Amino acid sequence: MANKPIFVATHPRACSTAFERVFMTKRDALQCVHEPFGDAYYYGPERLAERYQDDEVTRHESGFSQSTYKTIMDNINRENTEGKRIFIKDMAQYFVPPGAKPVSIAPSLMKTRRGVGTTNGHVEDGSHFVTQTEITNGHAAASAPYPTLAEKGNPTVVPLQLLKQFHFAFLIRHPKNSIPSYFRCCIPPLEDMTGFHGFRPDEAGYSELRSFFDFVRREGLIGPEVAGETRSNNSMEQETSLPNPQTEICIVDADDLLDDPVGILTAFCKSVGIQASEAMMNWNSVEEHEYAKDKFEKWKGFHEDAINSQDLKPRQHKKTKSDGQYRAEWLEKYGEHGAAIIQKSVDENIADYEYLKQFAIKAEKSDVVGSGGNKVNGVDKINGVNKVNGVNGVNGVNGANGVNGFNGFNVVNGVNGINVVNGVNGINGH
């Protein structure tokens, strides 16, 4: 587990870039690779997305028109030049053809065999590869992404053997929050910065994330244990026969993360084999900001809030809204037509979200030491003894500079914070 690249698979607008910034602070041990497979998914010759299918100019201007799944895999391997562990955050949908289209292995990742046992490059030795025609019940698939072979049961364009190289974890967010956020990125004025002109429901990413999760779980790349759950002797014995017995099912829900970042990150780090530390929670330095700007440059408009943030702190108030309140908010911001589009997309993705949510990790007690030397544990966490309003806090006026508060988690008004009060450069909800 210690040397496998960590791959956090997610869907758009899941607070994943804020999550990633935590691990970007650990450059002594981790080499972060930010959303690499979107290059091939949107712009390259093996592209799966339809967004730029007929827009050669945009594909060329992106600088990624020649990116394939193989060149990206090769680039990831080259990233680890200093022996650090790779940490990748990316969208699961970049591996999965949208709209339940027929799937086959990306041409650049195919290893065509010639000679005995093959005919025109099709394997005939009883391996797990099948032809595209076979997976469509004998009917040729005109809309297939590639005229290549497929793997039985594999919903992705990446061979299982390559997927086995990664330690997979997952990040989700309720579609009532992620869908409106993504919608905002695809309409004026933000669309001029993102280059994503018009909202596409097939880019929500939930169904692809679920199918990918089910596949790697079924193949034994994760599980059967869920991170944080007590293991039984029987289940531990069963794990010994799996190809990757140490990889637990580890799913982070963004709302849980925003409510208790210390507890959730403690549980996550324990599951994936990363040493947690207080320093992970704060990146308010010129060096950290420049590093983030460089990493996030290619996806302009999507990561500005994460770039401008300073730290990860628990939100002051849990967000509990009724369906009516959500609807009213969408109507106010996007009008009747926009609200209807958002509602339809939310409804289409809730079932997949709730399915994945059942596996979400729970917050754990933390042994991370706060700035005052006292442990921030399950009882005396940020909002525990040293409370935001200053109760039992030496410098607790409105939560500014609270003792043991992870360098001022509860900053006044949440300026540049993730869970903001006044919404200034805040990540949550965007």
Side-chain angles (χ1 to χ4, degrees):
M1 177 177 71
N3 295 323
K4 276 194 171 186
I6 299 167
F7 193 124
V8 179
T10 185
H11 58 78
R13 315 310 288 168
C15 297
S16 60
T17 305
F19 183 76
E20 184 182 4
R21 285 216 67 172
V22 171
F23 299 96
M24 289 171 67
T25 65
K26 295 184 69 67
R27 294 199 293 280
D28 59 329
L30 299 175
Q31 180 67 40
C32 289
V33 181
H34 177 69
E35 300 183 13
F37 292 98
D39 302 350
Y41 179 80
Y42 282 112
Y43 305 113
E46 297 174 328
R47 58 190 174 275
L48 298 173
E50 296 181 359
R51 181 172 288 278
Y52 301 114
Q53 181 65 32
D54 300 319
D55 189 351
E56 185 177 356
V57 172
T58 296
R59 296 200 307 270
H60 178 75
E61 291 178 347
S62 72
F64 305 115
S65 61
Q66 298 305 310
S67 293
T68 67
Y69 284 92
K70 184 180 186 302
T71 62
I72 293 170
M73 288 285 189
D74 291 343
N75 288 339
I76 291 172
N77 289 331
R78 283 193 291 269
E79 286 278 354
N80 197 13
T81 57
E82 301 177 7
K84 300 176 185 179
R85 192 176 183 190
I86 297 290
F87 184 97
I88 304 166
K89 186 270 290 187
D90 215 341
M91 310 299 144
Q93 68 208 67
Y94 293 166
F95 287 167
V96 182
K101 291 182 179 179
V103 62
S104 58
I105 301 301
S108 65
L109 299 178
M110 287 291 299
K111 291 185 177 180
T112 304
R113 297 174 56 183
R114 300 292 181 185
V116 179
T118 66
T119 303
N120 296 326
H122 288 188
V123 181
E124 296 181 340
D125 61 357
S127 74
H128 54 282
F129 282 106
V130 295
T131 65
Q132 187 60 256
T133 302
E134 287 174 340
I135 66 170
T136 53
N137 298 319
H139 298 287
S143 59
Y146 319 119
T148 57
L149 305 179
E151 286 185 328
K152 279 186 176 178
N154 186 348
T156 81
V157 300
V158 181
L160 175 61
Q161 201 61 34
L162 281 179
L163 295 175
K164 288 180 179 179
Q165 299 177 14
F166 299 102
H167 180 129
F168 287 104
F170 300 83
L171 178 62
I172 59 174
R173 190 185 188 191
H174 200 291
K176 290 179 181 178
N177 296 315
S178 67
I179 298 297
S181 178
Y182 194 61
F183 184 86
R184 184 176 69 93
C185 293
C186 302
I187 62 173
L190 198 52
E191 66 174 359
D192 290 333
M193 183 181 292
T194 64
F196 279 45
H197 299 284
F199 173 74
R200 292 186 62 99
D202 62 357
E203 292 176 345
Y206 286 89
S207 63
E208 292 85 358
L209 185 62
R210 177 176 178 172
S211 65
F212 180 70
F213 169 81
D214 281 343
F215 174 64
V216 296
R217 184 184 179 207
R218 184 170 63 247
E219 293 294 330
L221 275 64
I222 59 172
E225 297 295 334
V226 177
E229 291 188 356
T230 302
R231 298 177 177 223
S232 66
N233 291 333
N234 184 48
S235 64
M236 292 181 71
E237 290 175 1
Q238 291 175 345
E239 281 191 77
T240 60
S241 63
L242 296 174
N244 195 22
Q246 293 179 305
T247 303
E248 301 172 316
I249 294 172
C250 183
I251 296 183
V252 172
D253 187 290
D255 276 316
D256 298 336
L257 174 70
L258 297 175
D259 287 338
D260 186 359
V262 176
I264 292 297
L265 286 169
T266 296
F268 176 85
C269 288
K270 180 178 179 181
S271 179
V272 302
I274 295 176
Q275 182 65 45
S277 68
E278 176 190 359
M280 296 169 62
M281 314 300 289
N282 189 294
W283 46 82
N284 189 23
S285 70
V286 174
E287 180 184 2
E288 292 292 347
H289 289 311
E290 290 301 318
Y291 182 66
K293 287 179 182 178
D294 178 65
K295 286 287 185 180
F296 303 155
E297 177 66 21
K298 70 177 179 180
W299 299 112
K300 292 181 179 179
F302 288 102
H303 303 321
E304 266 51 43
D305 295 332
I307 290 173
N308 293 325
S309 66
Q310 298 178 355
D311 51 24
L312 182 61
K313 58 184 176 291
R315 54 188 173 193
Q316 296 178 2
H317 302 287
K318 291 186 177 182
K319 291 193 172 183
T320 54
K321 298 180 185 178
S322 67
D323 290 345
Q325 288 174 315
Y326 275 110
R327 177 74 178 181
E329 185 177 293
W330 302 338
L331 282 169
E332 180 181 356
K333 291 181 177 180
Y334 309 115
E336 184 66 44
H337 181 65
I341 293 174
I342 291 170
Q343 185 67 67
K344 185 175 185 296
S345 186
V346 168
D347 292 344
E348 290 172 346
N349 290 288
I350 282 181
D352 291 328
Y353 162 79
E354 291 179 342
Y355 171 78
L356 294 168
K357 173 67 174 176
Q358 67 180 314
F359 300 100
I361 61 175
K362 305 296 190 296
E364 286 197 10
K365 292 184 179 181
S366 171
D367 289 330
V368 175
V369 178
S371 57
N374 295 322
K375 289 184 179 181
V376 181
N377 53 41
V379 176
D380 298 320
K381 263 188 278 196
I382 304 307
N383 292 319
V385 174
N386 299 303
K387 293 183 180 179
V388 175
N389 61 9
V391 177
N392 297 322
V394 175
N395 296 309
V397 179
N398 292 324
N401 301 315
V403 175
N404 307 320
F406 276 87
N407 299 321
F409 264 67
N410 302 300
V411 266
V412 178
N413 294 328
V415 177
N416 293 323
I418 290 180
N419 300 293
V420 296
V421 175
N422 291 333
V424 181
N425 294 324
I427 292 173
N428 187 41
H430 300 290

